Amino acid sequence: MKEKWLSTLQDLFLFTCHSKDAFSKHLKYLFMKCKNPLSRIMLKLLTEEGVPDTVQIETLRSLSHICSQLDESSTLQLLENFPSILVPLSSDNQNIRLAAMSCIEELSPLWSRISKNGKSGVSLHFLGEMLFLIMQQKKMILSDKNILASFFTSLLSSSSESLLVQQAIGKRFNESTKKDILNFMLDHALGLPAHSKLKILSLIKGAGSKLMSSGVESLLNDLLENRRQHYLKDGKLCPKLSQSEVDILCLLLEICTKANSSDEARDFGKFIVEALRLNGAEETTVLEPCMTILRNLSSSIYGSMKPETQELIFRNLLILYRCPNGGIQNSSRDTVLRISLNCSIVEKILDPIVDPNTCSVASAHGKKQKRSVKNQDRNQCDDATQGRENPLLFLSAFLDVLLMKKDIVNRTSLVGPLFKLLRLTFENEEWMLKAHKASSGSSQSVSDFTAHIQQTLLLTLEDICVSIGNDIAHKNVGHKYDLQLLVDHACSSDDVVTSNYAFSLITALVKIVPDEVCARTSDILTTMGKSTVTQLDSQSQRVFEGLISAIIPCWLSRTNDNDTDKLLQIFVEVLPQVAEHRGLSIIQHILRTLGEAESLGSLLFLLFQSLISRQSELSLLNKQWEYEFAVLLSEQYSCTIWLRSLILVLKKIGTSIQDKFKQMQVAMQFVADKLRDPEISYKLQLKEDMHDIQNMVGELMEQVVYHLQLVNSNKKHSLKENIRAVLRTLTKGLPPSTYFNVIKELINHGDSDMKKKALGLLSETVKDLGTGAKLKKKGSVSSIRSSWQQLDEVSLKSYKKLCSSINKLLDDAQEDISSTSLELAAVSALEVLANRFPSHDEVYSKCLKSVCKRICSDNSALSSHCLRATGALVNALGPKALEELPSLMKCVLEKFPAETNKTVDSAIGSSSSVDSLFMSVLLTLEAVVNKLAGFLNPYLTRILQLVVLHPLSFSSSDPKLKLKADVVRKLITEKIPVRLLLQPVLDMYPKSIGLGESSVSVVFEMLGNLVSSMDRASISVYHAKVFGLCLEALDLRHQNLDSIQNIDVVEQNVINVVVTLTMKLTGSTFRLLLIKTIEWSDSNVEGDESAPGKSDSRAISFYSLVNKLAESQTSLFVPYFKDLLDGCVRGLDDAGETKTALTQKKKKAKLNDTTTDKDGALSIQVWHRRALILSALHKCFLYDSGSSKLLDYSEFEDLRKALVSQLVVDPPVSLKNHPNVPSVEEVDDSLVACIGQMAVTAGSDLFWKPLNHEVLMQTRSEKIRARVLGLRIVKYLVEKLKEEYLVLLPETIRFLDEVLEDSELPVKSLAQDIVREIETMSGESIRQYL
């Protein structure tokens, strides 16, 4: 009845709470009449789950309101139920927390009142202080719901890590009081609903394992039992756990994993074991407690438990390891890794499995399970693991854990049992079938499970073996390793992965039992050889490489060097059956293990031998698999390795007996291909391994040269070219410093033939480099080629050492044939080097001294090469070569003429040796003149005799000699001062006359070069000498000497000198020299009466000079032509009937020579003279462009008559026999141009009319040539005068009318052209006047 009344009262309270405003008076009445029952109802509402927030707030407010109105008994009851108020105080709703805090503030005065009356009781002595502390934290608690839990953690525990609550709170109470508070809270909480119970337990969980009172343990046990009964059995005897109960279970289990002592850990073990049971359940209620244990179980707690409990926990963890739930599986794996396992626990699980009396994994496990639980409490171990595991999954999980857990104490003791288990899996198929049958529901086949177990076992054993390593203390387990089992089943296993794991284990065993492994090396290598053909995956390759790396060094330590080649031969034989990339990786690793630098050469030699044994004809080598593989393999290594290998290959071939030249052919092609690799140059530029590369290149070149000698002795010409190509390729890729060092080492070789080959190679290489200009012209210069253009400091040092070695070789040479050839090679090399790398270094001075000593050698070839080398060295040294100048000039100027005379006396004409020697002399003189010109004065005459008077210096039989002599002569005139050189050159003229026109021409070429280089002061001093010699030389035509066959060539050179000289003279000086020349040309006419036919010789020479002067001086020469007009008129009129009016002397020229030949035509000389006069006059009229004209009327008339008279003169009959004399066509052109230009220059019809008339009169001549020339002159006048010619047109028309009727077609055609030209010019037809 009372309970019903209380229920009605609760409903009435709740109703009034929902409608507070309407029933406020009623609510107050209730507070007044039913305070005590209402307080109990309110406390109940605060702890129940699902009460609305508004009701809770109103309840707390109401409770605060009636606190002061309660009697002492109700007040004490309210204080005893204080933990119930903590439930809303920890609420997520801040308003509820505020109302709860207000209620606590009301409770505090009540406690003070009760305590003063002495009725608080001993059990609540701490309450007042705790209420005060809570009120102190009011703001923090109201702002954050988690502060209250931190507060109780600080209050109840000895230490707190919270930063939000003061550390001093925990010191307010002693340990006994803290225990009273904890018991007070727990006792009250255990009587509350699950929701409130969870709230209070969460607040005080910071107390840790202190929380686990007997009541709490009983609660935990009940929850686990309910979980087991409802979820893990088929009965469903207990109700389903609520979420709050699950959370309480997880909270208490978490506290169990944080035991503070070993005793507590042992007590809590049964709870942990029970929580780990799943039995395949997937409900959250089952999984969450298990996850709580897995997350929080520590190694220390696990280690503190009883061994039997540890075993049970470990078994459960193994079962969970293969749980279908991914979260459970991952957490169990983390837990296994976290806890520390003792080997004894593992052995207890492993021993029954490998027991030969055990029929299956499942039964073995059952026996083990019974043995492990017989002394345990029945409630803890009953059905702890039995029936929950899949046997194969359990075994698989167990092995995975063994592999994963590397920190198991004394893990090496598991080697024996694990090998027993491995043998079972390999040899006892029935055992695996029974185990698979016991594993119901397994989706994998027996073979898959077997493979997995075998692989895990092998990996675990390998890991244990690796962990043993070099630890001597653990090597006593070596007898437990069943090596034969591994070798047998590595070969026989169908599973590639299993086979690889077996090989990996053998690899690890090499360090532990090397003797046993080496004893079975042949079997292992055989097995490996078979597997390499079929196993092509990357893992198999890594396993193979690891085993090779371990077993081969061990094997080689017990064998000799020859076995290395045998080992390589084994793999060479199987290479054709293996894929290329796989074979490459196999060989690479073998070579790496054996030592690449030593073994690569042996392998290449074996490959070449294999190729030769298959191919009788070595064609298309690069298509053969051995060659392709050798190229591909060598590309995997740096040049420092394959260079050494190439050297080794060539050495092996050199000592080979069979198929030596075939091997050589293959090797040389391979070397040539490899040398195209730019890596050598790149490394040398970066100065990486420079010393080693230089040494290796030197050795390689030495071997190549050695093979070249073998080929030369056996006359293998095609192979010889291949080897020479290799040498060229070898040198092109080297930077200068490296190349110089390599050649130096070869020069210092003991074999003289090797020295000669090295010197020849040096010369050839440097020549091939070419000049910088040529390289630039090609457009692209590689970095190596560019480094040759400008030697750096390192290269210069190497170069100096090389030159010193060559010089030492010359100094140490003996006087015999072999030494002479070596000297010849050394001198040639010095020449090439000096030409390519000019330097003033002292080393060149030493070399020059050594070379000069050999210029006078009796061997002409050596002498010639020494001269060339001397020239190159002088060019390089410059003035520093002055010390050797006397001895050099002595040999050059004395030896060569003697050598020439000896050769010429012994054979008709010059020999090739003399030509070569003379070319060498010229090269040397070129260098000496270019660099030491200021010191050659004592030798000038003899030098000029050599380059001017020697027949080879101007011989046309060898153009190269003449061209080089021209260069030397020109260089002499450029480098040597005029004051020193002029007189020696002038002195050469008398001697040159007897040697012919070429020698004379050479003298005047040099003289012309000298004159062109003279300054004004030198011209004023030396012009008389030069002009006198030229005037003397112009008389050579008149002298008609037998030695001068072609006078025109000489005369042309002389005239060029005069013209060059006159261009540098002043006007007055030039006029004096011109008058002197005129007098000279006329002097023969009066003085040489006893020599008919020679009177025109000087005139021809003179007017040739006048033509050149007119061409060079143009309008400047026109004023001087007045002095020549008289001579021109007389030269054109040979009859003597015309008396000149151009001169005031009334001098009558008496012509003693005949002007015509026997046929009545002009002689050749007269024709030549007149042609030159016509040409000179035409040029004079052409350049007469000044205001004052050259001709007045009388002079014009005299010239007109003389010129027009030439129209009817017949040419010489033998003119075609004189190619140097102007032809008829040339003279006709000159005559037409001369008369026409004279009229144009006159510029007045006063001059034109008589000239036009007289020319037109020639159109009536009986001679066709005269008529054509007359018409050509008329046409010239029409074209040049244009409209001005119209004044002459009336007279011209009459003559044209006649000419148009001419019977000769050329005459008629020319007349028609003139008519058309006139019509075009006048714009009207003149046909009507014809």
Side-chain angles (χ1 to χ4, degrees):
M1 191 73 180
K2 184 179 180 180
E3 292 180 357
K4 184 177 181 181
W5 180 81
L6 289 174
S7 176
T8 303
L9 183 61
Q10 179 176 332
D11 294 340
L12 181 61
F13 175 72
L14 292 175
F15 176 76
T16 56
C17 287
H18 286 296
S19 305
K20 178 182 177 183
D21 295 337
F23 299 98
S24 59
K25 293 180 179 181
H26 301 79
L27 191 58
K28 290 180 180 179
Y29 181 79
L30 282 177
F31 290 162
M32 183 176 63
K33 297 296 182 178
C34 305
K35 295 187 289 289
N36 294 332
L38 277 176
S39 64
R40 290 192 294 273
I41 290 172
M42 291 176 187
L43 290 174
K44 179 182 178 183
L45 289 174
L46 293 177
T47 58
E48 285 186 351
E49 186 176 3
V51 178
D53 292 349
T54 56
V55 174
Q56 286 196 48
I57 293 172
E58 190 58 33
T59 301
L60 288 168
R61 288 175 180 174
S62 300
L63 186 60
S64 300
H65 178 71
I66 67 173
C67 280
S68 59
Q69 302 175 15
L70 296 174
D71 55 20
E72 288 186 359
S73 176
S74 298
T75 300
L76 185 59
Q77 185 179 7
L78 179 61
L79 292 173
E80 288 175 349
N81 287 283
F82 166 73
S84 296
I85 301 176
L86 294 177
V87 175
L89 188 61
S90 63
S91 173
D92 294 341
N93 191 317
Q94 189 177 24
N95 293 326
I96 296 176
R97 295 200 302 274
L98 180 60
M101 184 58 72
S102 299
C103 186
I104 291 174
E105 290 175 342
E106 293 295 332
L107 289 177
S108 182
L110 290 179
W111 170 255
S112 299
R113 189 178 65 195
I114 294 292
S115 62
K116 288 180 181 180
N117 296 333
K119 296 182 179 181
S120 61
V122 180
S123 61
L124 297 178
H125 62 89
F126 53 82
L127 187 58
E129 184 69 19
M130 188 167 65
L131 290 173
F132 175 73
L133 292 174
I134 291 174
M135 288 187 292
Q136 273 190 335
Q137 305 295 323
K138 176 180 177 180
K139 290 184 180 180
M140 297 287 288
I141 292 172
L142 293 179
S143 63
D144 188 353
K145 66 175 183 177
N146 297 318
I147 294 298
L148 188 60
S150 299
F151 169 78
F152 279 105
T153 301
S154 299
L155 183 69
L156 299 175
S157 64
S158 58
S159 61
S160 175
E161 298 180 355
S162 176
L163 299 177
L164 301 177
V165 180
Q166 297 179 0
Q167 296 286 338
I169 291 176
K171 299 178 181 179
R172 299 293 287 269
F173 303 104
N174 56 32
E175 292 298 324
S176 175
T177 303
K178 290 181 180 180
K179 184 176 181 180
D180 292 341
I181 295 172
L182 183 61
N183 292 332
F184 169 67
M185 300 282 286
L186 287 174
D187 291 342
H188 185 76
L190 291 174
L192 294 177
H195 167 72
S196 300
K197 193 184 299 180
L198 175 63
K199 286 277 188 180
I200 295 175
L201 291 175
S202 299
L203 289 176
I204 62 176
K205 72 175 183 178
S209 60
K210 296 177 183 178
L211 206 66
M212 299 300 293
S213 64
S214 60
V216 175
E217 287 188 10
S218 178
L219 173 64
L220 176 58
N221 193 60
D222 292 342
L223 291 174
L224 288 173
E225 182 64 21
N226 290 345
R227 170 179 174 268
R228 185 174 68 85
Q229 292 293 337
H230 183 81
Y231 297 100
L232 304 182
K233 287 192 174 183
D234 297 334
K236 306 292 182 183
L237 300 177
C238 294
K240 181 179 180 180
L241 294 177
S242 67
Q243 184 60 45
S244 296
E245 290 176 326
V246 173
D247 293 339
I248 292 172
L249 177 58
C250 291
L251 187 145
L252 295 178
L253 289 173
E254 182 180 351
I255 293 172
C256 289
T257 60
K258 293 179 171 58
N260 293 326
S261 65
S262 300
D263 294 336
E264 289 181 352
R266 293 189 184 97
D267 294 338
F268 297 157
K270 57 185 178 181
F271 303 125
I272 293 174
V273 171
E274 182 61 32
L276 290 175
R277 295 186 63 190
L278 292 182
N279 280 12
E282 298 181 357
E283 291 85 350
T284 305
T285 306
V286 180
L287 296 179
E288 285 187 2
C290 182
M291 287 292 293
T292 301
I293 297 298
L294 294 176
R295 281 195 300 267
N296 294 282
L297 182 62
S298 64
S299 180
S300 60
I301 295 297
Y302 178 80
S304 301
M305 295 179 182
K306 297 177 182 179
E308 295 81 3
T309 305
Q310 291 183 25
E311 182 183 352
L312 285 173
I313 292 174
F314 183 51
R315 285 179 179 277
N316 280 284
L317 289 175
L318 291 177
I319 295 170
L320 296 177
Y321 195 86
R322 286 289 185 263
C323 178
N325 187 289
I328 295 293
Q329 189 179 115
N330 293 334
S331 298
S332 64
R333 182 182 65 249
D334 295 339
T335 304
V336 169
L337 290 173
R338 191 164 57 246
I339 65 176
S340 296
L341 286 177
N342 192 286
C343 186
S344 61
I345 302 296
V346 179
E347 287 179 342
K348 287 180 181 180
I349 297 175
L350 182 59
D351 286 344
I353 299 176
V354 298
D355 188 353
N357 298 320
T358 303
C359 60
S360 70
V361 178
S363 62
H365 178 65
K367 288 183 179 181
K368 181 64 183 179
Q369 185 266 336
K370 290 178 183 179
R371 186 166 55 249
S372 64
V373 300
K374 66 181 181 179
N375 295 323
Q376 295 186 13
D377 184 76
R378 186 71 176 172
N379 294 329
Q380 177 182 353
C381 64
D382 185 35
D383 295 330
T385 58
Q386 186 176 7
R388 294 191 289 118
E389 73 281 358
N390 182 313
L392 284 182
L393 288 179
F394 181 83
L395 178 59
S396 174
F398 173 70
L399 294 176
D400 287 348
V401 169
L402 286 186
L403 177 62
M404 184 172 56
K405 287 288 291 181
K406 303 181 186 303
D407 56 350
I408 297 176
V409 179
N410 196 22
R411 193 164 63 133
T412 56
S413 63
L414 300 175
V415 170
L418 290 177
F419 253 104
K420 290 181 180 179
L421 180 58
L422 182 63
R423 181 172 287 277
L424 276 175
T425 61
F426 276 125
E427 298 178 353
N428 195 336
E429 295 182 3
E430 182 181 359
W431 183 84
M432 287 303 301
L433 288 172
K434 290 181 179 180
H436 185 265
K437 185 177 180 181
S439 303
S440 59
S442 176
S443 59
Q444 287 184 296
S445 63
V446 178
S447 59
D448 291 340
F449 261 121
T450 303
H452 174 72
I453 292 172
Q454 289 173 348
Q455 292 164 14
T456 310
L457 279 169
L458 290 169
L459 284 173
T460 305
L461 286 167
E462 180 189 357
D463 187 69
I464 295 173
C465 181
V466 171
S467 66
I468 293 175
N470 297 320
D471 189 356
I472 300 175
H474 291 90
K475 286 193 176 182
N476 58 358
V477 300
H479 64 281
K480 299 180 181 180
Y481 286 98
D482 195 343
L483 184 61
Q484 189 60 46
L485 174 70
L486 297 176
V487 175
D488 293 342
H489 290 282
C491 179
S492 62
S493 176
D494 295 331
D495 188 81
V496 175
V497 178
T498 304
S499 178
N500 286 336
Y501 287 162
F503 282 129
S504 298
L505 180 54
I506 294 173
T507 302
L509 287 176
V510 172
K511 290 186 177 181
I512 299 176
V513 285
D515 293 334
E516 294 182 25
V517 174
C518 288
R520 293 178 174 85
T521 297
S522 59
D523 297 335
I524 295 173
L525 291 178
T526 302
T527 304
M528 286 165 46
K530 294 178 181 178
S531 66
T532 54
V533 179
T534 58
Q535 299 178 11
L536 306 178
D537 57 288
S538 58
Q539 178 61 26
S540 299
Q541 178 180 343
R542 285 192 292 271
V543 171
F544 172 84
E545 291 174 355
L547 182 55
I548 286 293
S549 300
I551 199 171
I552 287 184
C554 179
W555 179 59
L556 289 178
S557 64
R558 292 161 173 79
T559 57
N560 53 50
D561 294 338
N562 293 331
D563 289 337
T564 302
D565 290 346
K566 294 179 181 179
L567 172 65
L568 292 173
Q569 183 63 42
I570 293 172
F571 287 95
V572 169
E573 291 174 356
V574 301
L575 273 178
Q577 306 172 31
V578 184
E580 182 180 87
H581 69 281
R582 176 70 169 142
L584 181 63
S585 62
I586 291 172
I587 294 299
Q588 272 188 272
H589 194 76
I590 293 174
L591 295 181
R592 193 181 306 120
T593 306
L594 293 173
E596 296 156 340
E598 295 77 17
S599 57
L600 179 58
S602 298
L603 180 65
L604 293 176
F605 181 73
L606 293 175
L607 287 171
F608 296 159
Q609 277 189 328
S610 173
L611 190 154
I612 293 170
S613 64
R614 292 190 309 105
Q615 300 290 329
S616 57
E617 296 295 331
L618 298 180
S619 59
L620 299 176
L621 288 177
N622 55 353
K623 300 297 182 182
Q624 306 301 321
W625 75 263
E626 292 95 343
Y627 192 90
E628 291 179 342
F629 187 82
V631 172
L632 183 62
L633 179 63
S634 61
E635 289 174 352
Q636 313 305 313
Y637 300 102
S638 67
C639 62
T640 55
I641 293 177
W642 56 256
L643 273 174
R644 188 174 288 110
S645 301
L646 295 180
I647 296 170
L648 180 59
V649 169
L650 293 180
K651 286 181 178 180
K652 284 180 173 288
I653 293 175
T655 58
S656 178
I657 299 175
Q658 294 181 346
D659 298 323
K660 175 180 292 188
F661 292 105
K662 287 186 177 181
Q663 294 175 4
M664 197 182 299
Q665 180 179 348
V666 177
M668 286 303 167
Q669 181 168 337
F670 184 78
V671 171
D673 290 341
K674 288 304 299 176
L675 291 179
R676 296 187 182 95
D677 191 338
E679 183 189 2
I680 298 177
S681 305
Y682 179 74
K683 279 185 172 290
L684 291 175
Q685 285 179 350
L686 297 180
K687 298 182 180 179
E688 293 183 5
D689 306 317
M690 177 179 289
H691 182 70
D692 292 339
I693 292 177
Q694 287 177 351
N695 291 336
M696 285 186 286
V697 171
E699 289 184 43
L700 182 60
M701 290 182 66
E702 180 179 343
Q703 288 298 320
V704 174
V705 172
Y706 170 73
H707 284 275
L708 181 60
Q709 294 175 355
L710 291 178
V711 170
N712 287 336
S713 61
N714 288 272
K715 298 180 180 180
K716 302 284 185 178
H717 298 294
S718 59
L719 188 54
K720 176 181 178 181
E721 291 302 318
N722 292 342
I723 297 177
R724 293 183 65 85
V726 168
L727 286 174
R728 288 192 294 269
T729 306
L730 185 62
T731 57
K732 286 180 180 178
L734 297 179
S737 58
T738 303
Y739 182 72
F740 293 149
N741 289 333
V742 168
I743 294 296
K744 179 174 71 68
E745 294 300 324
L746 292 178
I747 289 175
N748 295 331
H749 197 277
D751 188 357
S752 61
D753 291 333
M754 185 71 72
K755 294 180 180 181
K756 284 188 287 186
K757 293 291 184 183
L759 291 169
L761 182 62
L762 173 64
S763 301
E764 182 179 351
T765 302
V766 177
K767 285 179 182 178
D768 289 343
L769 287 173
T771 63
K774 289 183 179 179
L775 285 174
K776 187 175 181 180
K777 186 176 181 182
K778 290 181 180 179
S780 62
V781 184
S782 65
S783 56
I784 292 298
R785 302 281 282 183
S786 61
S787 64
W788 284 89
Q789 306 309 310
Q790 186 66 40
L791 298 181
D792 56 19
E793 184 177 354
V794 176
S795 299
L796 283 174
K797 289 182 180 179
S798 302
Y799 180 70
K800 292 176 184 178
K801 292 179 181 179
L802 173 63
C803 292
S804 299
S805 297
I806 298 176
N807 187 56
K808 185 176 183 301
L809 187 149
L810 286 174
D811 292 340
D812 297 342
Q814 304 294 327
E815 293 186 1
D816 53 37
I817 297 177
S818 61
S819 178
T820 301
S821 61
L822 184 59
E823 289 179 85
L824 194 62
V827 170
S828 299
L830 283 176
E831 176 195 356
V832 174
L833 291 174
N835 283 329
R836 185 63 190 82
F837 305 109
S839 171
H840 295 170
D841 195 84
E842 184 181 357
V843 67
Y844 273 171
S845 300
K846 296 178 181 178
C847 293
L848 178 61
K849 187 173 183 179
S850 299
V851 172
C852 285
K853 294 178 182 178
R854 288 164 173 77
I855 293 178
C856 297
S857 170
D858 294 335
N859 188 305
S860 61
L862 178 60
S863 178
S864 177
H865 281 77
C866 287
L867 284 168
R868 291 173 181 267
T870 299
L873 290 169
V874 170
N875 274 327
L877 285 169
K880 287 190 175 183
L882 181 61
E883 181 181 356
E884 297 299 323
L885 183 62
S887 60
L888 168 64
M889 295 309 298
K890 179 179 179 181
C891 291
V892 170
L893 298 177
E894 292 182 2
K895 173 179 173 42
F896 180 74
E899 187 73 25
T900 304
N901 295 335
K902 180 174 66 176
T903 306
V904 171
D905 290 343
S906 61
I908 299 175
S910 61
S911 66
S912 59
S913 62
V914 175
D915 291 348
S916 175
L917 192 58
F918 189 70
M919 177 61 79
S920 301
V921 170
L922 291 177
L923 289 170
T924 305
L925 288 177
E926 180 183 11
V928 170
V929 173
N930 189 33
K931 300 298 181 179
L932 303 172
F935 308 97
L936 294 180
N937 190 37
Y939 315 106
L940 276 180
T941 300
R942 300 183 67 182
I943 291 175
L944 289 176
Q945 289 176 352
L946 194 59
V947 300
V948 174
L949 303 181
H950 198 284
L952 292 178
S953 65
F954 49 80
S955 173
S956 59
S957 60
D958 191 342
K960 291 183 179 179
L961 276 178
K962 185 178 184 303
L963 182 62
K964 179 54 68 175
D966 291 339
V967 172
V968 174
R969 289 189 288 264
K970 183 173 178 56
L971 192 62
I972 290 173
T973 59
E974 291 174 352
K975 294 291 184 178
I976 299 178
V978 175
R979 59 183 177 81
L980 300 178
L981 183 61
L982 181 60
Q983 190 57 49
V985 171
L986 296 178
D987 292 342
M988 292 298 106
Y989 171 70
K991 301 175 183 178
S992 66
I993 295 176
L995 299 174
E997 64 273 8
S998 297
S999 182
V1000 179
S1001 298
V1002 164
V1003 172
F1004 281 95
E1005 284 176 4
M1006 293 187 68
L1007 188 59
N1009 292 332
L1010 268 179
V1011 172
S1012 63
S1013 64
M1014 289 182 183
D1015 55 13
R1016 183 176 297 180
S1018 300
I1019 288 293
S1020 62
V1021 174
Y1022 302 116
H1023 74 275
K1025 282 186 178 182
V1026 174
F1027 183 77
L1029 182 66
C1030 291
L1031 207 58
E1032 181 182 350
L1034 285 175
D1035 207 35
L1036 288 175
R1037 182 184 292 273
H1038 178 69
Q1039 295 175 12
N1040 196 19
L1041 300 175
D1042 293 337
S1043 60
I1044 308 299
Q1045 299 296 321
N1046 191 348
I1047 188 60
D1048 293 313
V1049 175
V1050 177
E1051 196 172 82
Q1052 190 63 42
N1053 284 285
V1054 177
I1055 291 173
N1056 288 338
V1057 175
V1058 176
V1059 171
T1060 303
L1061 179 65
T1062 56
M1063 295 297 291
K1064 297 193 172 198
L1065 296 174
T1066 61
S1068 58
T1069 305
F1070 174 66
R1071 179 174 289 276
L1072 292 175
L1073 294 181
L1074 180 61
I1075 293 173
K1076 185 176 180 180
T1077 307
I1078 294 172
E1079 293 175 351
W1080 167 80
S1081 65
D1082 290 340
S1083 63
N1084 189 47
V1085 176
E1086 296 181 355
D1088 196 5
E1089 298 178 357
S1090 60
K1094 292 186 177 181
S1095 57
D1096 290 310
S1097 298
R1098 286 191 174 180
I1100 292 172
S1101 300
F1102 173 72
Y1103 284 109
S1104 296
L1105 174 62
V1106 171
N1107 270 278
K1108 285 294 182 180
L1109 290 173
E1111 285 179 7
S1112 61
Q1113 299 185 14
T1114 62
S1115 60
L1116 296 177
F1117 188 70
V1118 173
Y1120 301 106
F1121 220 89
K1122 283 189 175 290
D1123 299 327
L1124 304 176
L1125 289 177
D1126 186 21
C1128 290
V1129 173
R1130 287 188 287 107
L1132 293 173
D1133 184 11
D1134 291 317
E1137 298 174 354
T1138 305
K1139 295 181 180 179
T1140 180
L1142 302 177
T1143 170
Q1144 299 297 327
K1145 294 178 178 179
K1146 294 188 180 182
K1147 173 180 166 188
K1148 191 186 245 188
K1150 183 176 182 182
L1151 302 176
N1152 295 317
D1153 57 323
T1154 58
T1155 59
T1156 59
D1157 55 19
K1158 60 182 180 179
D1159 296 325
L1162 289 179
S1163 66
I1164 292 297
Q1165 287 188 329
V1166 173
W1167 176 266
H1168 193 180
R1169 180 192 67 200
R1170 291 186 178 185
L1172 293 172
I1173 293 173
L1174 290 174
S1175 177
L1177 287 172
H1178 171 249
K1179 292 171 183 172
C1180 177
F1181 298 144
L1182 185 63
Y1183 302 135
D1184 186 11
S1185 57
S1187 56
S1188 58
K1189 299 298 181 180
L1190 174 65
L1191 301 177
D1192 56 17
Y1193 183 78
S1194 60
E1195 293 168 341
F1196 185 87
E1197 284 298 308
D1198 290 338
L1199 272 176
R1200 175 182 60 79
K1201 295 176 182 178
L1203 290 173
V1204 172
S1205 65
Q1206 303 305 309
L1207 297 177
V1208 295
V1209 174
D1210 293 328
V1213 177
S1214 60
L1215 183 60
K1216 293 183 179 180
N1217 298 328
H1218 298 79
N1220 294 327
V1221 178
S1223 63
V1224 175
E1225 291 76 11
E1226 292 173 342
V1227 173
D1228 288 349
D1229 292 341
S1230 297
L1231 181 57
V1232 171
C1234 180
I1235 296 175
Q1237 191 61 42
M1238 183 177 68
V1240 173
T1241 304
S1244 173
D1245 57 355
L1246 180 64
F1247 295 89
W1248 297 340
K1249 287 183 179 180
L1251 176 62
N1252 188 55
H1253 174 75
E1254 194 162 353
V1255 169
L1256 289 172
M1257 289 298 294
Q1258 298 302 320
T1259 61
R1260 296 176 177 174
S1261 173
E1262 294 180 356
K1263 298 179 179 179
I1264 296 177
R1265 177 171 172 267
R1267 298 202 299 273
V1268 170
L1269 289 175
L1271 290 173
R1272 286 181 61 187
I1273 294 171
V1274 172
K1275 184 178 180 183
Y1276 186 94
L1277 294 175
V1278 171
E1279 291 174 348
K1280 298 295 183 181
L1281 297 178
K1282 296 187 182 300
E1283 289 82 359
E1284 293 179 334
Y1285 188 78
L1286 295 177
V1287 299
L1288 307 175
L1289 189 56
E1291 182 181 13
T1292 303
I1293 289 175
R1294 291 187 295 106
F1295 287 93
L1296 287 175
D1297 188 25
E1298 297 176 3
V1299 178
L1300 287 171
E1301 301 297 330
D1302 198 297
S1303 60
E1304 296 295 334
L1305 183 59
V1307 177
K1308 186 176 181 180
S1309 298
L1310 194 55
Q1312 291 173 348
D1313 291 342
I1314 295 173
V1315 170
R1316 282 193 294 270
E1317 186 71 28
I1318 292 174
E1319 289 178 342
T1320 302
M1321 178 186 63
S1322 63
E1324 60 178 332
S1325 176
I1326 63 172
R1327 302 289 178 176
Q1328 57 184 333
Y1329 305 111
L1330 299 176

